[in-house]
């Protein structure tokens, strides 16, 4: 075992011992990882085959493949989790190998065996190794025997208050599904039930186990790559401590601030784990590192990780190409490529962190990231730069059936501080027109002083969530009102200037007694409303905020066009790019600039009467499927905040709680029923008794 710590040569596995050359690869997956594998295949001269559920018929990974095979239906259980359909698709399309990607069946030993039984090459570890690590309970037994440090599993029936807090985990699968933190013994049974149900739905296996939960621990994983010739490479470690719902959000390598001795122990333990199960291919050994610096084995992911690009950036190694060559029988060089610099990745999700991470399906009108150096590939010569691995493109719809991740944005630089700065800068300037995303949270997290000082642990996001999701300082509403003004002026330009792009130039502000034009906007996702009053005249733009309107003293209009507005604000010129999507209801406007990025819904001048819903109604916060209902019936008394039912949307489970204390008067939800956003699920009549 050799570590990677110095300047990279970009080495890849040699061709020695090659048993079979792959000509065509089917990727048994979708979205970003399918596109990532296809990119390497094109570079290697390998044909590509996509599979797609009906909801993905027009997806980017389908368009980019040489051939594509339909998997009828939308639910994962009917499509991407059907091993028989995936193998049949590979055979029908003439593929001679299958790459599983990550998630779905990537860690399913039976699928791996079915692939090889059909005479196809499995681009992954041996099925026995997959099976050995597939059950986390069995994996712990093996690792304990190999001397890898770990937490001992606990008997749920014998735990006491002294064992708290506890972690309930699914024995199969990962990604945070089937995982619950328990801080009160009374909640354990309910969390076990919920974890079993979620694990069974996600992985087809409802087995769970209980272990101690390490407060304040860091999540650090080690990347390994092994061949069939007894060579194991350790390609450094990644810190993955910034998580929501036990799913990683920001990952980086090398892990900052860990001692050399701990790093050595982690690498050696990962190598032992890899050799113990006869592993080949790319894999990741995951650890929790406690506050006192002691590592504990979590699991081994027998596949490519979502965060593999950061390792590629520091080593110069294409891990997908390495997977393919190892699957062909090639031998690794004796030593791995050394690493250089620092890389950091942020996962961009269509979700609202300020509303319990609710997924946000809908039309993605525009998706652009400035100054991207490469997509799905190692940065050229590992110069400081930016990489984008996106599963979507502008014009696609974000559906409710799959994970809400839109893309991964990766930055590499000689130092951590430079890489973090580059990543935050790029995210801040992204053009994201569509559903609410976690972009602002990512930028604020990257710029948080605790993150900059590498004070990291798995509770980071939860601990800082109010600061990361609230208004970004006292200037945020102020900047928002300038974006609203730009939106209003662009709308006027669009309506009145069909002949040319420029409406007015170098106008000035003055007070006038006449009635202004008024436009109203609601900011997304915070719901703040802006009323913009203004009048255009020969002298330019006159501001008239009016009663309750915004005050624009000190602002001068430079120019306005349907898609671009320039304002002079207190002597500083600011340019706002404006995009209006009139075919949505309500009309949505997106305003982008280095100064501020805002999304607005256009409000009518006089709000129309709204459809009335009963007071105390529980409305579906998103489209989804009702998967469970609490043991309540109409007429029962419920307490505010008590879980009443559970929705599943975009591979996550969401609890719908009672909005008030009172009587459940109506329950319209049914298990298995699909609901639209805003649908009334239940009604609770508030208890007004003193």
């Amino acid at each position: 075992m050799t570590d990677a710590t110095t300047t990279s040569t970009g080495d890849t596995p040699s061709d020695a011992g090659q048993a079979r050359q792959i000509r065509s690869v089917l990727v048994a997956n979708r979205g970003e990882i399918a596109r990532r594998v296809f990119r390497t295949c094109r570079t290697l001269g390998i044909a590509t085959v996509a599979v797609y559920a009906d909801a993905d018929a027009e997806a980017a990974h389908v368009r980019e493949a040489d051939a594509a095979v339909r998997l009828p239906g939308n639910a994962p259980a009917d499509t991407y989790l059907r091993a028989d359909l995936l193998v049949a698709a590979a055979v029908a399309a003439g593929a001679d190998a299958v790459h599983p990607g990550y998630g779905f069946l990537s860690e399913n030993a039976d699928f791996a065996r079915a692939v090889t039984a059909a005479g196809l090459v499995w681009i992954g570890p041996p099925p026995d190794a997959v099976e050995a690590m597939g059950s986390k309970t069995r994996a712990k037994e093996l690792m304990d025997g190999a001397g890898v440090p770990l937490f001992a599993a606990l008997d749920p029936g014998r735990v006491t208050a002294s064992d708290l807090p506890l972690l309930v985990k699914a024995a199969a699968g990962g990604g945070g599904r089937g995982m619950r933190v328990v801080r009160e013994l009374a909640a354990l049974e309910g969390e076990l039930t919920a974890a079993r149900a979620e694990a069974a739905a996600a992985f087809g296996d409802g087995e769970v186990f209980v272990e101690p939960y390490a407060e304040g621990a860091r999540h650090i994983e080690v990347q390994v790559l092994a061949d069939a010739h007894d060579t194991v490479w350790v390609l450094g470690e990644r810190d993955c401590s910034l998580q929501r719902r036990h799913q990683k959000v920001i990952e980086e390598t090398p892990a900052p601030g860990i001692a050399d001795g701990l790093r050595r122990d982690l690498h050696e333990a990962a190598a032992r784990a890899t050799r113990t199960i006869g592993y080949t291919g790319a894999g990741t050994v995951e650890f929790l590192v406690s506050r006192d610096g002691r590592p504990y084995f979590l699991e081994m992911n027998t596949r490519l990780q979502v965060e593999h690009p950061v390792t590629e950036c520091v080593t110069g190694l294409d891990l997908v190409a390495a997977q393919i060559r190892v699957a062909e029988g090639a031998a690794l060089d004796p030593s791995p490529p050394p690493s250089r610099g620092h890389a950091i990745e942020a996962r961009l999700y269509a979700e609202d962190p300020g509303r319990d991470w609710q997924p946000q399906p809908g039309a993605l009108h525009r998706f652009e990231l400035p100054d991207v150096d490469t997509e799905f590939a190692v940065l050229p010569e590992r110069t400081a730069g930016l990489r984008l691995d996106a599963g979507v493109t502008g014009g696609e719809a974000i559906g409710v059936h799959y994970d809400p991740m839109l893309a991964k944005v990766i930055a590499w630089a000689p130092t951590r501080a430079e890489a973090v700065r580059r990543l935050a800068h790029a995210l801040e300037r992204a053009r994201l027109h569509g559903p609410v995303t976690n972009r602002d949270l990512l930028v604020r997290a990257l710029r948080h002083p605790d993150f900059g000082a590498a004070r990291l642990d798995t509770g980071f996001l939860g601990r800082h969530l109010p600061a990361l999701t609230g208004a970004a300082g006292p200037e945020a509403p102020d900047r928002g009102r300038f974006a609203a003004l730009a939106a209003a002026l662009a709308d006027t330009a669009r309506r009145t200037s069909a002949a040319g792009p420029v409406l007015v130039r170098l106008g000035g502000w003055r007070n006038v007694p006449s009635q202004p034009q008024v436009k109203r906007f609601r900011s997304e996702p915070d719901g703040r409303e802006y009323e913009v009053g203004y009048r255009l005249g020969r002298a330019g733009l006159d501001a008239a905020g009016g009663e309750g309107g915004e005050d624009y003293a000190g602002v001068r209009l430079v120019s306005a066009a349907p898609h671009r507005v320039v304002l002079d604000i207190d002597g500083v010129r600011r340019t706002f790019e404006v995009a209006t999507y009139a075919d949505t209801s309500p009309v949505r406007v997106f305003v982008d600039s280095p100064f501020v990025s805002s999304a607005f819904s256009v409000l009518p001048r006089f709000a129309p009467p709204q459809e009335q819903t009963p007071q105390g109604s529980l409305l579906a916060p998103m489209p989804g499927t009702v998967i469970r209902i609490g043991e309540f019936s109409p007429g029962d008394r419920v307490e505010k905040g008590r879980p009443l039912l559970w929705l599943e949307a975009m591979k996550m489970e969401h609890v719908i709680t009672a909005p008030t204390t009172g009587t459940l008067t109506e329950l319209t939800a049914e298990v298995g029923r699909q609901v639209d956003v805003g649908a009334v699920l239940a009604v609770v009549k508030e208890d007004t008794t003193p």
Side-chain angles (χ1 to χ4, degrees), residues 374-399:
T374 189
E375 295 186 47
F376 302 106
V378 178
L379 287 164
E381 299 181 0
R382 285 176 299 142
T383 54
L386 196 70
R387 167 174 166 174
L388 175 66
D389 286 20
V392 296
T393 58
E396 294 187 34
I398 309 304

Side-chain angles (χ1 to χ4, degrees), residues 18-38:
Q18 192 174 77
R20 178 176 179 179
Q21 190 173 61
I22 293 171
R23 300 184 309 278
S24 176
V25 170
L26 177 139
V27 178
N29 219 294
R30 63 180 299 279
E32 171 265 325
I33 185 57
R35 299 185 73 194
R36 165 69 188 92
V37 176
F38 291 162

Side-chain angles (χ1 to χ4, degrees), residues 122-168:
W122 169 253
I123 304 176
D128 288 350
V130 176
E131 189 167 64
M133 294 291 103
S135 168
K136 294 181 176 62
T137 51
R138 173 62 178 149
K140 282 178 175 288
E141 294 173 1
L142 289 170
M143 295 302 100
D144 190 32
V148 177
L150 48 77
F151 287 120
L154 301 174
D155 181 348
R158 302 181 66 178
V159 297
T160 66
S162 63
D163 296 313
L164 295 173
L166 303 171
L167 185 63
V168 179

Side-chain angles (χ1 to χ4, degrees), residues 197 268 407 489 538 559 624 671:
E268 290 177 352
L489 294 170
R538 286 183 299 176
S559 65
V671 173

Side-chain angles (χ1 to χ4, degrees), residues 132 183 198 211 227 239 247 264 266 289 310 344 363 398 410 449 485 509 511 554 570 576 616 645 650 664:
R183 301 185 185 280
E198 189 175 13
E211 66 182 19
D227 63 16
D239 187 294
Q247 290 183 306
R264 182 176 59 252
L266 289 168
V289 176
V310 295
I344 183 165
I398 309 304
I410 308 101
L485 175 60
W509 290 87
N511 293 322
D570 294 326
F576 302 84
L645 55 94
M650 300 174 91
L664 181 66

